[in-house]
Amino acid sequence: DADVTQTPRNRITKTGKRIMLECSQTKGHDRMYWYRQDPGLGLRLIYYSFDVKDINKGEISDGYSVSRQAQAKFSLSLESAIPNQTALYFCATSPSLQGTEQYFGPGTRLTVT
Amino acid sequence: SQQGEEDPQALSIQEGENATMNCSYKTSINNLQWYRQNSGRGLVHLILIRSNEREKHSGRLRVTLDTSKKSSSLLITASRAADTASYFCATEGQGAQKLVFGQGTRLTINP
């Protein structure tokens, strides 16, 4: 089984709808991250969490919210989806040590019409 | 804004040739990492080089880091068709504890 899983893998939704993307990990890592990737661009950080009680905004948090339900689960919500939130969304995890790699989920392709 | 700027944006070479990708960044870093992404999939970590290291090897990969020029390069030797992917550099700033990614280099290996 994959260490970092994301659901759903693909989602089409309409403008104004609320949508939640979920991420689960079995690596036992404290740190979790949400990124978005737009075509031809690198990843931009939306939110990150260093433990269950620690949530931080990233570079592009406007229009998004997150919930860290447990060490293993980190959800990203779009309260009212808009077309420019159409993107590929990735969850990642890392150990609580500075200078370590991140482990990525397979991604969720979200289309807002 | 993104920390890393990668060059070239796209690279197409013949199988067996070497591929070199470059990354420049703006601020002081703890480490620089390279990741690979196959089309539309999650990123996979390739190699991490710390700010006090100058060169690192992993199989057919060689990474260099020049902190005075704020730049890094990734060399893939003896390329294979399976190396076709996008490659991203990511920097961890001093005290930042999070990564900032570049826009990536799209590498195509022609058989």
Side-chain angles (χ1 to χ4, degrees):
Chain A
D1 289 341
D3 294 321
V4 184
T5 57
Q6 293 184 233
T7 56
R9 295 293 313 279
N10 290 282
R11 180 73 182 267
I12 300 173
T13 192
K14 294 185 183 298
T15 298
K17 293 291 188 181
R18 183 178 189 275
I19 183 167
M20 179 181 290
L21 309 183
E22 298 186 341
C23 177
S24 294
Q25 53 112 348
T26 59
K27 298 193 74 65
H29 291 164
D30 285 326
R31 297 184 177 187
M32 298 187 74
Y33 310 82
W34 275 106
Y35 295 92
R36 70 175 275 175
Q37 183 179 33
D38 296 281
L41 297 179
L43 276 66
R44 290 184 291 168
L45 184 62
I46 306 172
Y47 271 96
Y48 60 104
S49 170
F50 284 171
D51 65 40
V52 175
K53 297 181 181 179
D54 180 57
I55 304 288
N56 304 280
K57 292 183 178 181
E59 181 186 357
I60 53 164
S61 59
D62 287 350
Y64 301 94
S65 62
V66 291
S67 173
R68 184 83 185 265
Q69 301 95 324
Q71 185 201 40
K73 296 183 183 297
F74 193 35
S75 299
L76 176 72
S77 293
L78 286 67
E79 298 301 326
S80 179
I82 56 176
N84 76 0
Q85 291 178 314
T86 293
L88 195 51
Y89 289 84
F90 289 103
C91 174
T93 74
S94 70
S96 291
L97 294 170
Q98 197 170 23
T100 58
E101 66 191 84
Q102 293 186 9
Y103 297 81
F104 283 80
T108 293
R109 186 170 298 278
L110 176 66
T111 303
V112 183
T113 62
Chain B
S1 61
Q2 288 175 306
Q3 162 85 303
E5 296 290 335
E6 296 185 59
D7 172 60
Q9 292 187 3
L11 178 62
S12 181
I13 61 173
Q14 295 299 121
E15 195 167 18
E17 294 180 340
N18 295 341
T20 300
M21 289 158 270
N22 302 294
C23 171
S24 60
Y25 57 92
K26 298 174 183 175
T27 62
S28 296
I29 61 171
N30 283 324
N31 65 75
L32 185 145
Q33 303 180 29
W34 286 90
Y35 288 80
R36 164 182 158 153
Q37 182 184 35
N38 288 86
S39 182
R41 301 195 173 199
L43 278 69
V44 175
H45 182 263
L46 295 176
I47 199 164
L48 181 154
I49 187 165
R50 302 189 191 284
S51 61
N52 61 353
E53 298 175 310
R54 291 297 167 259
E55 187 171 311
K56 207 161 183 179
H57 296 253
S58 177
R60 292 184 296 113
L61 307 180
R62 181 174 80 105
V63 169
T64 61
L65 179 64
D66 187 334
T67 53
S68 67
K69 295 182 179 178
K70 292 187 169 58
S71 67
S72 173
S73 67
L74 170 67
L75 168 68
I76 303 174
T77 61
S79 63
R80 305 167 181 169
D83 294 328
T84 293
S86 291
Y87 293 82
F88 295 90
C89 69
T91 53
E92 182 180 283
Q94 289 183 350
Q97 302 186 66
K98 59 186 189 292
L99 295 178
V100 179
F101 285 82
Q103 299 102 318
T105 293
R106 173 78 187 151
L107 175 65
T108 302
I109 308 299
N110 302 303

